[in-house]
Amino acid sequence: MNSPSRSRQLIKGILIGAGCAGMISLIPLINLLNLFFMFWMAIGGAIGVWIFQRRAGKASLGEAALCGGLSGFFGGVLFALVTYTTLFFITPEGFNRMLSLLEKILPNLQQEMDPIITGADFRGMLGIVLLMSTGLSGLVGILGGLTARWAWSPRDPDQPRTPAGADHD
């Protein structure tokens, strides 16, 4: 990064990407896509790099990895904080009501569920899982950022394009 302006643009990209990743991950049912390769965290990393490149020009590999990784990481932090805070304030009675609603959808849930999920250690386990997923969110954000750099890099207008159907080396 050469200038303070470029650094500011990088920070804007990180914050916007993290906000998008974290907020989309909080939407019920849509957040299930995070089960598949932390999808929304990769998208947040890609959005961060896309925003950065629109304002500051082509990102270097390091800038793309940094922007994508921090976007995914902070998106994961946002998701983890909201999720853990929400579950922390649910009383055991409220938690049992949620389980009874799930049993209406999945009738065999009680037989298949591990007793530890209904125990007092559940919140501690959830905290550990959320911490691990936050770190993973950063790694996946790096992949999203590097993919965005490759896919949406500003092209040099003077560079000749290879015609369709021609051999590509």
Side-chain angles (χ1 to χ4, degrees), residues 25-92:
S25 295
L26 292 170
I27 300 171
L29 298 179
I30 292 175
N31 66 354
L32 293 176
L33 284 174
N34 269 342
L35 294 176
F36 302 103
F37 312 112
M38 304 294 287
F39 182 76
W40 295 119
M41 299 307 158
I43 294 297
I47 288 171
V49 171
W50 179 70
I51 294 288
F52 173 69
Q53 288 190 142
R54 286 196 58 190
R55 296 175 180 206
K58 186 172 183 171
S60 68
L61 285 173
E63 289 170 333
L66 180 67
C67 184
L70 289 177
S71 293
F73 177 76
F74 287 123
V77 168
L78 177 64
F79 173 74
L81 286 175
V82 172
T83 300
Y84 194 77
T85 303
T86 302
L87 289 177
F88 186 76
F89 290 109
I90 293 177
T91 62

Side-chain angles (χ1 to χ4, degrees), residues 112-131:
E112 295 175 9
M113 189 172 16
D114 194 337
I116 194 129
I117 291 177
T118 58
D121 293 336
F122 178 69
R123 287 189 177 125
M125 281 186 354
L126 179 66
I128 291 169
V129 168
L130 288 173
L131 281 174

Side-chain angles (χ1 to χ4, degrees), residues 10-27:
L10 183 66
I11 291 170
K12 285 180 186 176
I14 290 168
L15 293 176
I16 291 170
C20 290
M23 297 307 288
I24 292 172
S25 295
L26 292 170
I27 300 171

